[in-house]
Amino acid sequence: MTLYTVIPEEEIFKNASQERTEQVSEFLEMAWEGRLLLVERLNDEYIRVERILQPCGIQDFLEPAFQPGTVLQLNKT
């Protein structure tokens, strides 16, 4: 990335390392309704779909429930 500016590099990137440590996400591989998904754990109750790792069929990529960014609720049993 090329950045053309008169602002010193230290000023621009001073919070970059701090932001990276604060935004650590927990990604898991999880079986959900017969499909293997890569999900991000939001909290103990919700997950967000990142991608389908192993579909049952090609039509799974068109399912709204498995699209990236979809938030799913985990069942508490």
Side-chain angles (χ1 to χ4, degrees):
M1 177 176 86
T2 305
L3 185 63
Y4 297 99
T5 181
V6 295
I7 301 171
E9 181 180 326
E10 295 79 20
E11 185 67 27
I12 294 171
F13 297 111
K14 68 181 178 183
N15 293 327
S17 63
Q18 187 179 38
E19 289 175 4
R20 285 187 193 142
T21 58
E22 292 174 1
Q23 296 178 355
V24 175
S25 298
E26 182 182 359
F27 291 96
L28 308 163
E29 289 183 9
M30 173 181 270
W32 187 274
E33 295 183 8
R35 293 131 183 112
L36 185 62
L37 305 174
L38 179 66
V39 298
E40 176 185 6
R41 174 174 237 125
L42 301 176
N43 55 35
D44 289 339
E45 194 174 346
Y46 294 98
I47 56 171
R48 179 180 301 134
V49 176
E50 282 295 311
R51 70 178 110 178
I52 300 174
L53 297 175
Q54 185 178 11
C56 289
I58 195 72
Q59 70 277 4
D60 290 343
F61 292 101
L62 300 175
E63 278 288 328
F66 303 117
Q67 291 180 351
T70 302
V71 176
L72 302 173
Q73 184 175 7
L74 299 171
N75 291 335
K76 291 274 193 167
T77 55

